[in-house]
Amino acid sequence: MSVFSIEEKINVFREIFGRTPQYFSYAPGRVNLIGEHTDYNEGFVLPIAIEMGISYVVAPREDNKVRLYSADFGEFNEFSLEDIRKSETKWSNYVRGVAKFLSERVLLRGMDALIYGNLPIGAGLSSSAAMEVGAALSFQAVSPFQMDRKSLALLCQRAENEFVGMRCGIMDQFASLLSEEGMALFIDCRTLEIRNIPLPQGYSVAICDSKVRRELVSSEYNKRRAECERAREILGIRALRDATHQLLEEKKKHLGETLYRRAKHVVEENQRVLSAIDALRANDLQEFGDLMKASHISLRDLYEVSSRELDILVGIALSIPEVLGARLTGAGFGGCTVNLLREEARENFEREVKKRYREATGLEAEIWFTRPAKGGFVELFSS
Ligand code: GLA
């Protein structure tokens, strides 16, 4: 669903719930520029929030009920804050999970919420994190508690890990809550220290959706996490963040081929993120693009999370002269690529990529251009 005007938000809410909403909460999706599969290894990442997200139009309730209506699914879902369980209605579990862990810590009020978004679901742009963050901000708006943004993000991650069952790292929730307009968000996933780093003008970030969705994302993702865990144990370190090339070579035999490759990716990807920040600071976008290319190759060959379609999309993008870098983004297997290009090349990029992707795969790629957006927020309806 696209973006509503203020009047439309109020009117649609009234039609559904028969009352007037008080708050509007919004949480953006994210695209990761570089630093893939490093967050759960206590490493470094560099995402941006994007100009697409999930919106909540909300009114507080006097009782403990949470009534939800998803405009995208055309479905209602309802639960009580006194008994929060997993539902068959999958989209509601992000709200339920957040409600469950919030209610263990603070006093929560019930609410009615209309939820809609313009973020493609399951495309690797963090629609899940945006659902969670939107829910957390909405509960905060209707309830008498205040929590800082990092704590809210950690709570949302916990909801996804322990309630929904996807063992994601912290990148997506941090990006959705802590990003600033025009800036990339550097996160040290061990110390949780963040830095907002400006992205120079004159360049565009393009997101290309391969349109391939794979059911195995969650299982393969959890498998990669388990492999990293095993590699860390063998190496005798706290997290793969602490591994070095030298250590990997010494322990190569014990690790075996697969774990060695996974760990090598993590070591080198962390290094690439740090180099990418230096490149941004030096305004050297050529170097930044080269690091993106190297990241893709490593995800394809060492971490083995790419796919034929993602490789094709990256290949087409890199054959366009104004494109500085391209790589798969998010967990991988399907979903999207992220591309850095000169702003003036947008039209040509869109035309070329769509045409040649169609010729190569028979699929229609979807393309969005975005500037780094600001993190989630809440507004009060004035009337
Ligand atoms: C998913 C997870 C993130 C991160 C990426 C891979 O998007 O939600 O935490 O691990 O995959 O970099």
Side-chain angles (χ1 to χ4, degrees):
M1 179 162 299
S2 57
V3 184
F4 286 145
S5 69
I6 293 185
E7 290 73 32
E8 281 166 335
K9 284 172 198 155
I10 295 175
N11 288 338
V12 175
F13 187 94
R14 275 200 188 125
E15 269 169 39
I16 293 166
F17 294 108
R19 50 196 297 240
T20 307
Q22 270 185 27
Y23 300 101
F24 172 70
S25 325
Y26 174 82
R30 67 94 190 93
V31 72
N32 189 16
L33 299 180
I34 196 157
E36 217 64 83
H37 290 279
T38 45
D39 63 351
Y40 53 83
N41 291 301
E42 300 190 5
F44 309 121
V45 293
L46 191 69
I48 60 170
I50 60 177
E51 292 164 320
M52 294 189 281
I54 308 267
S55 300
Y56 281 66
V57 182
V58 179
R61 292 180 61 88
E62 295 302 320
D63 58 16
N64 277 330
K65 262 192 203 154
V66 177
R67 293 195 302 172
L68 308 169
Y69 180 75
S70 162
D72 298 322
F73 290 95
E75 250 179 332
F76 278 101
N77 192 270
E78 190 178 309
F79 64 96
S80 159
L81 291 171
E82 273 145 32
D83 179 26
I84 307 174
R85 293 187 210 167
K86 222 166 156 174
S87 159
E88 306 261 286
T89 308
K90 283 194 180 158
W91 59 264
S92 78
N93 286 327
Y94 299 103
V95 185
R96 288 165 178 256
V98 168
K100 183 167 171 58
F101 294 124
L102 271 178
S103 65
E104 285 174 4
R105 287 178 51 181
V106 295
L107 178 66
L108 272 198
R109 293 248 163 86
M111 65 178 181
D112 291 336
L114 155 68
I115 308 170
Y116 62 92
N118 57 358
L119 195 56
I121 293 164
L125 301 177
S126 294
S127 49
S128 317
M131 279 290 288
E132 292 148 13
V133 167
L137 290 173
S138 302
F139 278 121
Q140 182 165 254
V142 300
S143 309
F145 78 91
Q146 277 301 319
M147 208 181 265
D148 67 88
R149 285 186 171 239
K150 280 189 186 172
S151 305
L152 275 183
L154 287 165
L155 191 136
C156 289
Q157 180 202 18
R158 185 167 171 221
E160 184 144 355
N161 288 175
E162 295 175 30
F163 196 86
V164 177
M166 166 83 175
R167 296 188 60 210
C168 66
I170 192 57
M171 168 168 69
D172 307 346
Q173 292 78 8
F174 258 49
S176 186
L177 268 166
L178 293 149
S179 293
E180 279 178 24
E181 204 175 333
M183 312 256 190
L185 182 72
F186 168 77
I187 311 166
D188 178 332
C189 302
R190 168 170 285 168
T191 62
L192 300 184
E193 176 209 349
I194 58 163
R195 258 177 285 155
N196 297 97
I197 301 174
L199 213 64
Q201 297 288 336
Y203 299 91
S204 267
V205 173
I207 301 164
C208 302
D209 186 350
S210 68
K211 287 297 178 64
V212 178
R213 305 282 184 267
R214 298 249 155 81
E215 277 300 313
L216 51 70
V217 177
S218 171
S219 62
E220 283 294 322
Y221 183 90
N222 289 345
K223 197 166 138 193
R224 292 296 179 286
R225 278 202 74 151
E227 286 170 346
C228 290
E229 184 59 25
R230 185 79 196 104
R232 169 197 84 72
E233 274 167 21
I234 294 172
L235 294 170
I237 51 180
R238 169 173 156 177
L240 285 186
R241 150 82 169 264
D242 303 309
T244 57
H245 275 122
Q246 200 195 339
L247 184 64
L248 290 191
E249 294 313 318
E250 278 167 24
K251 300 270 174 91
K252 193 168 176 182
K253 263 212 200 107
H254 300 283
L255 285 169
E257 190 50 40
T258 303
L259 296 191
Y260 170 78
R261 275 192 266 133
R262 304 294 189 252
K264 189 166 163 31
H265 165 78
V266 175
V267 170
E268 294 176 354
E269 186 75 353
N270 276 330
Q271 193 50 54
R272 277 189 287 269
V273 177
L274 298 179
S275 306
I277 287 164
D278 291 342
L280 267 193
R281 292 230 166 90
N283 226 341
D284 186 352
L285 283 249
Q286 201 75 48
E287 168 67 10
F288 192 95
D290 288 344
L291 292 161
M292 291 174 77
K293 291 180 207 170
S295 169
H296 183 78
I297 292 169
S298 179
L299 289 161
R300 185 190 68 194
D301 299 342
L302 298 179
Y303 219 71
E304 297 177 282
V305 292
S306 191
S307 68
R308 177 175 167 264
E309 294 82 6
L310 292 169
D311 292 343
I312 289 174
L313 272 179
V314 166
I316 298 171
L318 292 179
S319 73
I320 301 172
E322 293 86 358
V323 173
L324 301 149
R327 54 183 288 279
L328 73 83
T329 188
F333 305 103
C336 296
T337 63
V338 58
N339 307 262
L340 183 69
L341 61 146
R342 294 188 201 287
E343 212 158 56
E344 68 273 12
R346 279 176 168 203
E347 264 175 46
N348 181 40
F349 177 87
E350 181 158 13
R351 205 175 34 241
E352 277 295 299
V353 173
K354 283 195 166 168
K355 176 171 152 281
R356 289 173 51 195
Y357 187 64
R358 188 183 309 122
E359 283 163 6
T361 63
L363 295 166
E364 294 295 327
E366 201 158 342
I367 299 179
W368 303 275
F369 296 98
T370 188
R371 285 287 301 163
K374 71 168 171 177
F377 58 86
V378 179
E379 280 166 5
L380 191 62
F381 288 114
S382 50
S383 57

